[in-house]
């Protein structure tokens, strides 16, 4: 094999590049595990996990375009709604159930969170932090609903109907007897800033990623 | 392979006993050692199965794809139809470089038993009487069709099928394959189908059957012996069924209320409207290629199909064996304007598969072409099938590279 061939062979084996927050989620997943990605979009995370960690990955996606893209790329994805289509799965059907940046768009986030922790041995949930200082400042200064890069909707068009802060999320987990095994709080630049329970995280973090388990 | 075209064309034999068509493909006699035990309890055998193959079986016999045809379909997936002269019914999807790539996979399609294109059916001669079976032909089920296909696959020396794929009634067979022989099927693609035939669909079928049986030429099912054919009844059955294959939007787009070769209505019962003329043409051309009794038997097989009932009432149980989820990888597809097998039917199957945490993909294709969309040019549907098969081939370790062309 020529050096060039060798290099190209190595490159084709490399997993595809993904967004920082998805990489953070992927880092929490053990290789060779079973993963359900809820709201998997175009399948970027599933594709990465399949190639980088050899997981047995499945996905649920609401948008038909997303589902078509996923299935056409060989990923196992169904068109469906997290709030109605998760109840069928048996307990512990997956090692990890991933819900990325979607909990705030659910009609009943608490019920969804409960389902995630039932059908997955672990749940990995990422939430945008409504306690982030820029959001607090926008509301304080302009007196209008904040619109940020990550939450780029006007109040009347947003699919996000149940916002929470990182502190709210931590409190809900405590109430539901859900253990937070790991947490990563990221600032605007995608840098990991600190632990979930600190007040600074709630002020400086733009989003949090949590590895959860039934208590 | 010991399959052959049936060859006896002696002029002295009665009309019905002659080989029906000198058709392309293969024909094999199965059930010679032991007859096929049918769901009804009756036995059938020995019996013929007509089939066609495309592509080449690889050395370890792991690249075989079985295609299951729909109600009035046949095994001529790619061949020109021997009677109508029309091109193969799934040329859009199957062929060299197509989503079901015959450069890569070995494709098999057999005519279902009870059919009229070479597999044993009611118009064939009953060896016990020397006359056509007619209504003496045993009632068959989707399960029986699949068992006959399994005998064919065994006969071909194929232990595992890489994929079983089919739409409508073909999709029912796909589901039955996955449930009956989960270890034999690596991947299953049921398209525009259901785990049971709905009351509405049974009702439509009954209309068709009653039309056939009301035709005086049907002669209690003995029309071949009488030298007659219930063409009017069969044509009406086809016309009614054809409407269910389309959507209101598609019909409207195609015909609207346009008149046929005239400026105004005739105040009579001629085919004033284009849509009437179209349906009459559909009915008339159908009787050329299909046998009325076969239509009765095959519609009945679909009516009886109910995977959940066979699994003790819960569809989930059908996809579980010895407490373990089915190992078959599923990809379901439905079409948004299909009112014969609506998306909700596919979704019910997906839910049952989820309940055992099976490996399943599901896509609803947005189209206004109705149930027939699975036979038509639907690029998104074809992309999905292609991607799913590619993904499965990777998991199956099918490393066959496409030939350079």
């Amino acid at each position: 094999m020529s050096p060039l061939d060798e290099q190209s062979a190595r490159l084709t084996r490399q997993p595809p590049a993904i967004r920082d927050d998805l990489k953070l989620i992927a880092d929490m997943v053990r290789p060779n595990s079973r993963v359900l990605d809820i709201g998997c979009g175009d399948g970027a995370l599933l594709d990465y996990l399949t190639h980088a960690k050899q997981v047995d990955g499945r996905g649920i996606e609401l948008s038909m375009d997303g589902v078509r893209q996923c299935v056409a790329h060989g990923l196992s994805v169904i068109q469906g709604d997290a709030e109605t289509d998760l109840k069928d799965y048996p307990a512990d059907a997956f090692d990890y159930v991933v819900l990325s940046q979607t909990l705030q768009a659910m009609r009943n986030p608490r019920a969804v969170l409960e389902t995630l922790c039932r059908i997955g041995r672990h749940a990995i949930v990422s939430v945008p932090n409504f306690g982030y200082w820029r959001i607090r400042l926008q509301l304080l200064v302009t007196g209008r609903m904040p619109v940020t890069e990550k939450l780029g909707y006007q109040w009347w068009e947003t699919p996000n109907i149940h916002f929470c802060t990182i502190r709210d999320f931590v409190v809900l987990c405590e109430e539901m007897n859900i253990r937070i095994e790991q947490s990563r709080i990221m600032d605007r630049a995608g840098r990991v800033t600190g632990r979930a329970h600190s007040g600074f995280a709630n002020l400086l973090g733009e989003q949090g990623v949590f590895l959860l388990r039934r208590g | 392979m010991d399959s052959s075209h049936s060859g006896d064309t002696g002029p002295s034999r009665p009309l019905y006993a002659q080989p029906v068509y000198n058709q392309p493909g293969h024909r094999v006699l199965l059930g010679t050692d032991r007859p096929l035990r049918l769901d009804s309890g009756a036995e059938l055998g020995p019996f013929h199965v007509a089939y066609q193959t495309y592509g080449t079986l690889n050395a370890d016999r792991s690249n075989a794809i079985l295609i299951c045809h729909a109600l009035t379909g046949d095994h001529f997936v790619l061949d020109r139809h021997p009677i109508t002269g029309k091109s193969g019914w799934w040329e859009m999807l199957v062929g060299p470089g197509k989503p079901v790539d015959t450069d890569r996979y070995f494709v098999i399609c057999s005519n279902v038993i009870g059919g009229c294109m070479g597999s044993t059916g009611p118009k064939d001669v009953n060896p016990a009487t020397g006359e056509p079976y007619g209504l003496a032909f045993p009632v068959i089920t989707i399960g029986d069709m699949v068992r006959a296909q399994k005998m064919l696959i065994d006969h071909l020396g194929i232990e595992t099928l890489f994929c079983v794929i089919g739409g409508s009634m073909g999709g029912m067979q796909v589901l039955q394959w996955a449930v009956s022989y989960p270890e034999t099927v690596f991947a299953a693609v049921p398209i525009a189908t259901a785990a049971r035939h709905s009351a509405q669909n049974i009702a439509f079928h009954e209309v068709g059957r009653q039309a056939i049986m009301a035709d005086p030429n049907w002669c209690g099912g003995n029309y071949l012996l009488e030298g007659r054919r219930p063409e009017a009844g069969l044509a009406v059955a086809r016309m009614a069924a054809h409407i269910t294959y389309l959507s209101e939007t598609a019909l409207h787009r195609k015909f609207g209320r346009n008149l046929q070769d005239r400026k105004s209505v005739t105040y009579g019962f001629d085919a004033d409207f284009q849509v009437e003329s179209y349906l009459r043409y559909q009915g008339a051309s159908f009787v050329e290629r299909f046998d009325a009794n076969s239509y009765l038997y095959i519609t009945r097989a679909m009516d009886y199909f109910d995977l959940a009932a066979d699994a003790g009432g819960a569809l989930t149980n059908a996809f579980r064996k010895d407490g373990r989820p089915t190992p078959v990888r599923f990809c379901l597809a439905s079409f948004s304007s299909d009112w014969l097998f609506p998306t909700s039917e596919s979704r019910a199957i997906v839910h049952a598969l989820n309940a055992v945490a099976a490996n399943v993909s599901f896509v609803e294709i947005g189209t206004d072409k109705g149930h027939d969309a699975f036979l038509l040019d639907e690029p998104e549907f074809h992309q999905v099938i292609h991607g799913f098969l590619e993904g499965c081939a990777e998991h199956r370790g099918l490393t066959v590279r496409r030939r350079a062309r």
Side-chain angles (χ1 to χ4, degrees):
Chain A
M1 195 184 266
S2 77
L4 201 65
D5 285 344
E6 214 167 289
Q7 191 192 16
S8 74
R10 188 169 49 80
L11 283 176
T12 51
R13 273 202 304 272
Q14 267 183 2
I18 49 165
R19 270 186 358 232
D20 289 345
D21 57 324
L22 295 182
K23 179 72 169 56
L24 214 57
I25 291 172
D27 287 344
M28 292 179 173
V29 172
R30 266 197 329 273
N32 300 306
S33 52
R34 274 163 72 94
V35 178
L36 176 67
D37 185 5
I38 298 161
C40 60
D42 62 3
L45 177 65
L46 275 178
D47 198 32
Y48 178 86
L49 287 172
T50 306
H51 289 96
K53 301 216 164 180
Q54 290 74 49
V55 305
D56 178 6
R58 319 282 170 81
I60 296 186
E61 169 59 33
L62 199 56
S63 93
M64 271 306 160
D65 282 343
V67 179
R68 262 195 308 275
Q69 278 185 49
C70 290
V71 180
H73 281 96
L75 300 167
S76 299
V77 172
I78 65 167
Q79 196 275 333
D81 182 338
E83 295 200 80
T84 51
D85 294 336
L86 292 180
K87 60 177 176 2
D88 301 308
Y89 290 98
D92 293 339
F94 298 92
D95 296 310
Y96 300 91
V97 178
V98 177
L99 187 72
S100 165
Q101 305 281 329
T102 310
L103 193 66
Q104 74 281 356
M106 298 290 169
R107 283 186 298 279
N108 190 344
R110 190 185 163 121
V112 170
L113 203 55
E114 203 165 274
T115 309
L116 300 187
C117 291
R118 180 183 67 81
I119 66 177
R121 292 174 210 283
H122 293 93
I124 301 175
V125 177
S126 74
V127 288
N129 178 23
F130 216 66
Y132 180 47
W133 68 270
R134 281 176 181 271
I135 290 179
R136 294 192 202 189
L137 196 64
Q138 270 195 39
L139 186 59
L140 185 71
V141 171
T142 67
R144 298 187 57 196
M145 284 304 282
V147 178
T148 66
E149 208 176 296
K150 287 265 158 52
L151 301 169
Y153 297 99
Q154 293 291 336
W155 64 272
W156 43 268
E157 61 174 0
T158 180
N160 304 317
I161 52 176
H162 282 120
F163 279 122
C164 68
T165 68
I166 283 174
R167 187 171 294 155
D168 285 326
F169 184 78
V170 170
V171 168
L172 179 63
C173 288
E174 279 166 9
E175 273 177 25
M176 293 175 67
N177 198 23
I178 293 171
R179 259 204 334 251
I180 298 177
E181 291 194 319
Q182 284 182 44
S183 62
R184 298 279 186 280
I185 309 302
M186 275 189 297
D187 68 8
R188 202 179 174 203
R191 285 185 300 259
V192 177
T193 59
R195 304 272 301 170
H197 292 79
S198 75
F200 282 120
N202 200 28
L203 185 64
L204 300 178
E206 195 177 26
Q207 60 174 317
V209 184
F210 302 88
L211 178 68
L212 309 173
R213 183 171 200 148
R214 286 188 300 263
Chain B
M1 222 138 282
D2 63 350
S3 52
S4 63
H5 298 268
S6 84
D8 192 347
T9 51
S12 62
R13 296 171 68 95
L15 184 71
Y16 56 76
Q18 288 184 9
V20 221
Y21 313 113
N22 187 15
Q23 52 192 32
H26 316 279
R27 196 167 185 234
V28 62
L29 193 65
L30 296 171
T32 44
D33 308 336
R34 209 162 33 133
L36 173 63
R37 175 101 176 152
L38 302 171
D39 279 332
S40 66
E43 289 184 336
L44 181 69
F47 60 93
H48 278 107
V49 169
Y51 67 100
Q52 183 56 294
T53 66
Y54 309 93
T56 314
L57 191 61
N58 64 6
D60 54 0
R61 300 175 172 241
S62 60
N63 69 334
I65 293 183
L66 177 70
I67 291 179
C68 302
H69 69 72
L71 168 59
T72 64
D74 47 54
H75 48 301
F76 301 119
V77 176
L78 294 184
D79 298 78
R80 205 158 274 285
H81 195 281
I83 298 168
T84 65
K86 285 188 181 158
S87 49
W89 59 271
W90 229 357
E91 270 189 353
M92 297 249 186
L93 194 72
V94 185
K98 298 280 171 68
V100 181
D101 188 349
T102 49
D103 281 347
R104 186 167 186 185
Y105 307 115
F106 178 60
V107 170
I108 309 158
C109 183
S110 70
N111 187 224
V112 295
I113 55 165
C116 54
M117 287 299 285
S119 292
T120 296
K123 79 172 166 44
D124 292 301
V125 171
N126 181 354
T129 61
E131 291 175 353
Y133 279 103
L135 292 195
F137 193 75
V139 167
I140 47 154
T141 63
I142 299 291
D144 295 331
M145 292 174 181
V146 166
R147 271 187 290 277
Q149 285 167 350
K150 177 70 162 61
M151 289 165 82
L152 172 66
I153 299 304
D154 290 344
H155 164 80
L156 295 174
I158 294 167
E159 277 176 29
T160 58
L161 290 166
F162 168 61
C163 183
V164 185
I165 176 170
S168 198
M169 183 182 85
M172 291 177 168
Q173 294 165 55
V174 173
L175 291 168
Q176 188 71 59
W177 260 99
V179 168
S180 296
Y181 307 106
E183 287 81 21
T184 307
V185 178
F186 184 76
V189 185
I191 301 156
T193 193
R196 87 243 184 293
H197 214 219
S198 69
Q200 177 174 278
N201 289 356
I202 295 171
F204 280 126
H205 275 175
E206 177 60 3
V207 170
R209 284 190 295 262
Q210 288 300 327
I212 290 168
M213 293 190 280
D215 187 322
N217 283 336
W218 183 61
C219 306
N222 289 325
Y223 49 88
L224 286 176
L225 270 179
E226 306 280 338
R228 296 157 79 175
R229 273 159 60 96
E231 290 181 349
L234 183 58
V236 170
R238 175 62 172 184
M239 288 165 78
H242 199 83
I243 299 166
T244 69
Y245 302 154
L246 307 173
S247 70
E248 207 272 336
T249 321
L251 268 180
H252 184 78
R253 187 183 52 227
K254 214 165 174 178
F255 307 109
R257 290 180 50 86
N258 298 341
L259 301 180
Q260 179 75 28
D261 304 329
R262 64 201 67 189
K263 292 244 162 24
S264 57
V265 297
T266 62
Y267 297 99
F269 297 103
D270 280 355
D272 277 359
F273 296 98
Q274 282 179 8
V275 65
E276 294 174 304
S277 170
Y278 168 77
L279 280 182
R280 289 182 188 192
Y281 167 77
Q282 289 295 335
S285 58
F286 182 62
V287 300
E288 296 293 315
R289 67 175 177 92
F290 217 81
D291 174 63
N293 282 341
S294 268
Y295 196 85
L296 302 182
Y297 277 88
I298 299 179
T299 54
R300 207 63 183 142
M302 289 179 77
D303 292 352
Y304 283 152
F305 186 64
D306 187 348
L307 270 186
D310 294 345
L315 188 55
T316 308
N317 292 339
F319 299 119
R320 202 185 273 135
K321 208 164 194 179
D322 309 322
R324 298 171 63 86
T326 173
V328 181
R329 305 171 77 89
F330 283 85
C331 179
L332 289 97
S334 69
F335 298 92
S336 56
S337 52
D338 184 349
W339 57 286
L340 195 61
F341 290 94
T343 292
S344 56
E345 298 280 6
S346 289
R347 210 177 276 285
I349 300 167
V350 171
H351 286 177
L353 286 164
N354 282 345
V356 296
N359 194 313
V360 52
S361 295
F362 164 61
V363 187
E364 182 196 53
I365 306 292
T367 173
D368 67 0
K369 292 175 189 157
H371 181 63
D372 259 358
F374 79 95
L375 299 168
L376 304 173
D377 185 18
E378 289 287 345
E380 287 175 340
F381 166 56
H382 296 170
Q383 279 165 22
V384 163
I385 299 297
H386 175 76
F388 176 73
L389 288 178
E390 290 280 312
C392 286
E394 197 180 316
H395 282 281
R396 186 80 171 94
L398 273 183
T399 50
V400 194
R401 287 275 162 265
R402 187 171 297 160
R403 276 199 309 254
R405 282 179 302 162

